[in-house]
Amino acid sequence: MIRHIKTAQAPVAGETDDGITKSVQALLSEVEAGGDKAVRDLSLRFDKFDRVSYRLSKAEIDSCINALTRREREDLDFAQDQIRTFAKAQKDALKDLEIETLPGVVLGHRNIPIQNVGCYVPGGKYPLLASAHMTVLTARVAGCGRIVTCAPPFQGGISAKIVAAQALAGADEIYCLGGVQAIAAMAYGTETIDPVDMLAGPGNAYVAEAKRLLFGKVGIDLFAGPTETLIIADDSVDGELVATDLLGQAEHGINSPAVLITNSEKLARDTLAEIDRLLKILPTAAIAAKAWADFGEVILCDTLEEMVAQADFVASEHVQVMTRDPDHFLDNMRNYGALFLGARTNVAFGDKVIGTNHTLPTNKAARYTGGLWVGKFLKTCTYQRIQTDAASALIGAYGSRLCLMEGFAGHAEQANIRVRRYGGRNVPYAAAVEPADI
């Protein structure tokens, strides 16, 4: 039996807000029509930030890198090494393919990097430099030809640590631009910014809606919503650990769901008590407490099967498993953005340093997609060739009949002309090639 010890007081965001959509549509139209001038006007309006050019010079970028302390540089290098290593391993798992399916018939595919990629790194509330690793660096490992990246100003100026992370990750162009104006500038292009083919990276509700509206004109990585975390735990761990990990993700924003699924009522009660205690000392308690009050849940299950079913139903962005046998959930769960197996790891490791990508599906999108990874920056494109006359005539005969089954005479003639030329058969115009004619 499944019981809710604590339920969410507010519905999890899922539907698009009409007000946000209208505002974003208007802003996108401004940039599409007004180019650089509109970008500057919007940067002044929303960020109170003005420059002759929002693209950072090499000297500015070098200054940001040089401003890092030795410890900061070593920490950034360590994080980027982990992410690069895993992304390279993922890319190595993607193989080009060529096979001969019939004598003389060769089919294949190539994994082709997207040429122009725009990466958004959020930084208005917190300077989320980790997003530079996850987007820019992953695109660089994929082999993308040109990587443009934008991040908003932080506290009225260039966010030096974000810029350093963007540059060290391999960005070709770095802009101090935020919000919808940054997304629009990369997608539409301006007088000074060439457009991109794909947008990647998280952002606030306005950035996410801009990406959604632009999907089709450009590719995007994911439809992103507020950060979500789900912890699956049994009595092998304690309430303090669970509460710490729930609040660690709830501090992302006041609309961030944090959910515990457990088969231990004692752990559930202890976790609730520990959350109350920790909220008295957590520096970001104002945000985390609101998120927990409105979107926090504690779900009590009797069996492992119920825990798996509930977890798949939640389909959370982050799923942290702290049980005696975490591999049971690795083997049986189907809907999650990323799994964090065992008490020794946690979502913050994935957010910042361990090597897997932190741009992950939200709003139950884990039912049908995984997160950002090197493969998102690659197009798997197929090709075919026929090497013999006999193979062309054979495929042509089948193709002729199949096309005419659908009523496509022009399609059939593409097959028929090859049966005539390479098979030496006299096929009437727009007629099916009969088996005896092969």
Side-chain angles (χ1 to χ4, degrees), residues 230-233 242 246 258-262 267-268 271 297-299:
L230 166 65
I231 294 180
I232 302 170
V242 175
L246 287 169
V259 180
L260 168 63
I261 294 176
T262 182
L267 178 65
T271 298
E297 293 187 71
V298 177
I299 302 170

Side-chain angles (χ1 to χ4, degrees), residues 226-351:
T227 293
E228 306 164 350
T229 195
L230 166 65
I231 294 180
I232 302 170
D234 61 21
D235 61 6
S236 65
V237 293
D238 59 76
E240 181 186 27
L241 189 63
V242 175
T244 297
D245 290 341
L246 287 169
L247 294 179
Q249 292 303 300
E251 75 174 0
H252 265 283
I254 61 172
N255 55 355
S256 290
V259 180
L260 168 63
I261 294 176
T262 182
N263 57 0
S264 167
E265 184 166 356
K266 182 179 184 303
L267 178 65
R269 303 293 179 187
D270 288 349
T271 298
L272 290 172
E274 284 295 319
I275 285 174
D276 289 341
R277 181 182 70 83
L278 292 173
L279 284 174
K280 294 181 175 68
I281 59 175
L282 181 66
T284 53
I287 296 170
K290 177 67 172 169
W292 177 249
D294 289 349
F295 296 98
E297 293 187 71
V298 177
I299 302 170
L300 184 62
C301 299
D302 288 334
T303 66
L304 290 177
E305 290 72 23
E306 287 180 346
M307 293 169 78
V308 169
Q310 276 297 113
D312 274 339
F313 175 76
V314 173
S316 184
E317 176 187 15
H318 307 105
V319 179
Q320 192 171 331
V321 183
M322 297 190 290
T323 63
R324 288 181 177 81
D325 182 16
D327 282 354
H328 178 82
F329 295 88
L330 175 64
D331 293 339
N332 290 282
M333 277 190 67
R334 295 294 176 263
N335 301 334
Y336 55 87
L339 281 180
F340 303 81
L341 299 168
R344 293 182 181 87
T345 190
N346 65 85
V347 176
F349 287 2
D351 281 347

Side-chain angles (χ1 to χ4, degrees), residues 89-96 109 111 373-376 378 380:
Q90 288 183 306
K91 187 181 180 187
D92 289 344
L94 296 172
K95 303 297 184 184
D96 290 346
H109 75 225
N111 294 298
W373 69 297
V374 70
K376 290 271 188 177
L378 299 168
T380 302

